[in-house]
Amino acid sequence: MPRPIEDYAVLSDLHTAALVARDGSIDWLCLPRFDSPACFAALLDDEEAGHWRLAPAAGGPATRRRYRDDTLILETEWGTPDGAVRVVDCMPPRDKSTDVVRVVEGLSGRVPMRMDLRLRFDYGHILPWVRRRGRDLGAVAGPDAAWLRADAPLRGADRSTIAEFTVAAGERVPFVLTWQPSHLSRPTPIDAHAALADTERYWRTWIGRCAYDGRWPDAVRRALITLKALTYAPTGGILAAATTSLPEQLGGPRNWDYRYCWMRDATFTLQALLGTGYVAEAKAWREWLLRAVAGDPADLQIMYALDGARRIPEQTLDWLGGYAGSRPVRIGNAAAEQLQLDVWGEVLDGLQLSREAGIAATEEAWDVQRVLLDFLEGNWHQTDNGLWEVRGPRRHFVHSKVMAWAGFDRAVTAVERHGLDGPVDRWRAQRDAVHAEVCTRGFDPDRNTFTQFYGSRGLDAALLLIPRVGFLPWTDPRVVGTIDAIRRELRAGEFLLRYRPEHDDHVDGLPRGEGIFLACTFWLVDALHNTGRTKEAEEIFTRLLDLRNDVGLLSEEYDPVAGRQLGNTPQAFSLVGLVNSARQLGGASTRTSASRAEQHTPVERHPTA
């Protein structure tokens, strides 16, 4: 059996990320970028696909581990019959080359240690040519080259590199793995101890800017650090997760590549960053957004590569067995070519939020938004694939229509409040037309709930966002009825499914079965809080916090029966939900942007209700 997904901690240098298991094995690392081919891919197969273990020779999971305070330095400790030992791992923020630093520290006694390094480039497909020079190792294959500097003797065995040594109390034994393109000369080796100090200084400085002072500081700060870890520093793009093909259903086909930037995340991410004091990161994300969407509005995609590139073709890696046999393993994402009308609204909403926050707007940015609005005017009535990227038939998804409404609403607000130029009467008429159609065709009066799509019997957790974007007030009986219906029909234990795939003749075109979707349950927390059920909201929020692993990370989904995390990890959408729910439970604004929602009186909150 593979290691549970929650066994993994993350390291990052703001260009790529590594996943480290509780037994001291790095099982996932893509070089040089988050979306590059992996040189360690044991996460999706077995150790032959590449890994790097550094642990006591006796093996076994760690006695305990933690991040060093508010940093991304991981400390993993083992207590053994021979003594105690700690492995300290980090990736220094990128300078010229990519480095992974691992330092073994003896705490007590004398502990036999073992290092196993299996470099396998191209997702475990390519075995490099390896040369050892004393205590150094060099590995080359095609465009990739890696060097290991070790303060322990190295030897080759079974197509891997081994180091066996003993560490005594007070001793420190460093290892540094460095990657660089193979056509370049070997970079100057870094000093492991200095790199650790630099990394600690960087993260302490960064988290020192955090403005959150609410009731859950540890959880929020760790979520923000992880969001920063998922940021591609050269462009400001924030990827959805550090991995590909971790399954939403163990053994099933719901395995997708999440190493890209999703438009759906834009507003929620901006809200989380701005609400906790990270204006520079919010500006960088906004600028990435504007660059990515520039061009023909008909070509707007639901996701882009880290640098804004549009081509991310999907293919399968058939030589990998998949996590827990979950195949196929995919790289790239065909959903990038889908039509999802909510994206136009998400972008316009996010840019309006930026205006409200005082992030400088430009004439060029408004020109881009007007072009997006022109497209939305002519296309909002179309069917689409919806927020959840269904691979079944296109439908009139209610959430997509609501976000089209939000796009027109934000345009009206931009003219009326910020003095920008545009056909406000026409946009207002479009907004009202969308609103009327959704309330007529997307609402089931017999059940007093909005539905997943026009004429559907199914529900969608994204309907919880209807009042959040200002489409209707929290006090509206249709909103309260929808919240109650979603809790009744999408509930799995204390949490929520996105939707039920088996409804409406298999709406998503895939076999049934996936875990509860963590971001949706955070939306439920917000909905309960804003309809006066704060005590219940806080109880669910506390349960969600309990789903984090031992170092505070969340994946995309959770299996409440098996008690395991599912899906790609760490997941930005889940972490953004955590931050925003914590802020809202503390009294922060629930709006995604200034909108018609300001006209409505919120439900009176009763802490014990």
Side-chain angles (χ1 to χ4, degrees), residues 16 37 89 91 183 230 258 361 375 565 571 588:
T16 190
D89 293 325
M91 295 184 71
H183 66 277
L230 294 172
Y258 274 24
F375 179 85
Q565 293 189 14
Q571 175 78 206

Side-chain angles (χ1 to χ4, degrees), residues 56-58 78-85 107-113 166-169:
W78 288 262
T80 77
D82 300 297
V85 66
L107 301 179
S108 66
R110 292 179 55 83
V111 181
M113 298 291 294
T166 298
V167 62

Side-chain angles (χ1 to χ4, degrees), residues 367-378:
D367 288 343
V368 169
Q369 292 166 77
R370 289 197 57 171
V371 173
L372 294 177
L373 286 157
D374 288 343
F375 179 85
L376 193 58
E377 281 189 84

Side-chain angles (χ1 to χ4, degrees), residues 153-169:
L154 303 174
R155 63 179 177 85
D158 193 24
R159 302 199 303 177
S160 65
T161 299
I162 308 295
E164 294 173 310
F165 58 99
T166 298
V167 62

Side-chain angles (χ1 to χ4, degrees), residues 501-518:
E502 66 271 19
H503 286 182
D504 297 303
D505 195 26
H506 294 278
V507 62
D508 65 4
L510 292 167
R512 63 179 295 178
E514 65 171 358
I516 59 101
F517 200 81
L518 296 174

Side-chain angles (χ1 to χ4, degrees), residues 129-151:
W129 181 266
V130 175
R131 294 176 295 172
R132 287 185 301 279
R133 297 177 179 174
R135 296 188 175 184
D136 287 0
L137 171 145
V140 177
D144 298 298
W147 294 268
L148 176 68
R149 168 156 287 195
D151 276 8

Side-chain angles (χ1 to χ4, degrees), residues 319-334:
W319 62 86
L320 293 176
Y323 180 88
S326 305
R327 303 183 71 183
V329 172
R330 295 180 173 95
I331 58 172
N333 200 311

